[in-house]
Amino acid sequence: MRENRSVYFCNYSIGADAFSEVPSVCEMYGTRILLIGGPKGLDAGKKRLLDAIAGSSLEIVDTVFFGEDCTYANIRRLGCYASELKVDMIFGMGGGKALDTAKGAACDAKLPVFTFPTIAATCAATTALSVVYREDGNFDSFYFYERPARHCFMDLTILSQAPAQFLQAGMGDTIGKYFECHFSARGDQLDHSSGLGREISNMCYFPILDHGVNALRDCQDHVVSHALEQVVLANIVSTGLVSLLVLDDYNCAIAHSVYYGLVLLPGFEEHYLHGNVVAYGVLVQLAVDHEFEQAIQLKKFLQDLQIPTTLGEMQVKLDRDYLKDVLRETVTGPDMEHIPYPVTEDMIYQAMERVEAL
């Protein structure tokens, strides 16, 4: 008999005035709040939050910047500070690194955490882990938690004002979740949780097919719309649910591994957002899998989203020697540990050639 297992989900509110729900959701946890965020995120959302809690029992005791990166040092520092302040809860506001730092600080301080994403580029607001970096900016490890944030507040007014490039990159990363989850789970007899997560991954692709182009246009025009809402839910909620439910084996595959290979190139990471590169990696994965018709269809859609679909568009030479470190990292990275068949450097390079020629 297997050990007991508990699964916790992140509740959420979404709408043009989602922060108005904060008092009714959060007052049951206490009154004193530590707000953690980044400068841009706090600039975008703090005033709306203060307006929303005015007249309630909730009080923001202090507001602090999370730092440059989500590091264990920043997590420990802010967790200790929250304990010193004797707050009842932590609010995280901003992008993925700010939210991940707030989640870690709350875990260390044994406090409930609530998330307020100001861009829709990742599922950090709803997942039970943080991506932690070293002080030099390189990836350190994943910090896993027993449960995600208690509640996520997605204010579409704020999200519609954010730079559209983040919504665009979020769609690229979210699309990857669908293709990678189905690919890595191929041939496996999945238990209930992983099977449910794989089925939810369909909601990471098909709503974006239906609404992605309109949502991107509406974000560029700073318009709150049904299309924008559907894509925000895909980027933040659907991906988060998949992450919470499936075994780690099924969270990533070739597409993410291609990303971690390409960021080894000097200056690459500074110019191209994670999600856009993952979307290109999906094309490589489809080519490796000889799914050329699907690759052609996806390429057309990514072009409609203005996401780069070739190495040439990303100023990367298609040269075997130049890409040797990229190819090595792609096939040896941790995301390749559970895929349906062995993949070699030759297979990745040939797939890149085919993607370039689509």
Side-chain angles (χ1 to χ4, degrees):
M1 188 72 176
R2 293 180 63 182
E3 294 181 359
N4 295 338
R5 183 183 181 202
S6 297
V7 178
Y8 299 96
F9 300 119
C10 178
N11 296 325
Y12 65 86
S13 299
I14 188 168
D17 189 25
F19 288 5
S20 64
E21 304 296 324
V22 172
S24 63
V25 171
C26 298
E27 281 183 321
M28 69 179 72
Y29 294 93
T31 60
R32 294 170 58 82
I33 301 160
L34 174 61
L35 176 60
I36 298 173
K40 292 180 181 177
L42 291 169
D43 185 58
K46 183 179 177 180
K47 184 182 184 304
R48 286 180 69 81
L49 176 60
L50 288 172
D51 290 344
I53 65 174
S56 74
S57 64
L58 297 174
E59 172 194 8
I60 296 177
V61 177
D62 198 4
T63 301
V64 293
F65 294 147
F66 76 96
E68 293 296 322
D69 263 324
C70 176
T71 64
Y72 284 112
N74 285 333
I75 286 171
R76 305 291 183 242
R77 171 176 61 86
L78 293 172
C80 288
Y81 185 55
S83 298
E84 290 170 11
L85 288 178
K86 293 182 168 53
V87 296
D88 301 309
M89 66 198 89
I90 288 177
F91 284 5
M93 179 175 286
K97 291 181 179 181
L99 302 181
D100 279 351
T101 304
K103 289 187 296 183
C107 179
D108 280 14
K110 298 180 173 54
L111 292 171
V113 63
F114 300 84
T115 54
F116 299 78
T118 56
I119 58 174
T122 75
C123 57
T126 60
T127 54
L129 63 87
S130 292
V131 182
V132 184
Y133 296 86
R134 301 190 188 98
E135 297 298 329
D136 63 5
N138 290 317
F139 171 77
D140 185 318
S141 61
F142 295 111
Y143 190 4
F144 291 95
Y145 311 118
E146 179 182 338
R147 62 183 300 161
R150 302 299 173 94
H151 205 97
C152 170
F153 298 90
M154 292 168 282
D155 189 295
L156 291 173
T157 300
I158 293 171
L159 293 169
S160 70
Q161 298 291 324
Q165 68 192 61
F166 294 118
L167 184 76
Q168 177 195 57
M171 286 191 274
D173 202 23
T174 300
I175 288 168
K177 184 71 75 176
Y178 164 74
F179 285 100
E180 290 184 295
C181 188
H182 280 268
F183 179 74
S184 58
R186 185 184 299 168
D188 287 3
Q189 185 69 41
L190 304 184
D191 64 11
H192 177 271
S193 186
S194 289
L196 181 58
R198 182 186 60 184
E199 294 310 301
I200 292 174
S201 78
N202 296 336
M203 295 296 290
C204 295
Y205 182 47
F206 296 105
I208 292 179
L209 274 181
D210 290 339
H211 302 289
V213 174
N214 288 337
L216 184 62
R217 181 200 62 223
D218 292 339
C219 191
Q220 290 167 337
D221 293 338
H222 308 308
V223 173
V224 173
S225 66
H226 175 71
L228 180 65
E229 179 176 8
Q230 297 311 299
V231 168
V232 167
L233 287 168
N235 287 5
I236 296 177
V237 176
S238 298
T239 48
L241 287 172
V242 176
S243 177
L244 286 166
L245 284 164
V246 301
L247 294 174
D248 283 343
D249 290 343
Y250 308 129
N251 254 320
C252 296
I254 294 174
H256 269 83
S257 209
V258 166
Y259 165 81
Y260 289 115
L262 285 170
V263 295
L264 297 178
L265 297 174
F268 183 87
E269 192 171 11
E270 288 75 24
H271 289 92
Y272 300 100
L273 292 173
H274 170 90
N276 288 348
V277 183
V278 169
Y280 164 77
V282 173
L283 294 175
V284 175
Q285 178 176 300
L286 289 169
V288 167
D289 208 31
H290 296 280
E291 293 284 349
F292 299 116
E293 270 192 41
Q294 178 72 79
I296 291 168
Q297 293 170 8
L298 179 60
K299 177 185 173 77
K300 171 66 168 61
F301 180 60
L302 295 179
Q303 289 174 324
D304 291 341
L305 293 177
Q306 304 164 47
I307 292 176
T309 60
T310 65
L311 290 176
E313 290 175 75
M314 295 184 284
Q315 312 303 313
V316 174
K317 292 185 295 185
L318 182 63
D319 177 86
R320 180 64 186 262
D321 187 58
Y322 178 70
L323 294 172
K324 63 181 181 180
D325 292 339
V326 174
L327 298 172
R328 185 184 308 113
E329 177 64 27
T330 298
V331 300
T332 60
D335 293 328
M336 302 288 274
E337 290 178 1
H338 191 92
I339 52 178
Y341 49 78
V343 172
T344 66
E345 292 181 29
D346 285 340
M347 292 166 67
I348 296 293
Y349 186 71
Q350 289 164 10
M352 288 177 169
E353 289 181 314
R354 289 166 177 153
V355 169
E356 218 68 11
L358 282 178

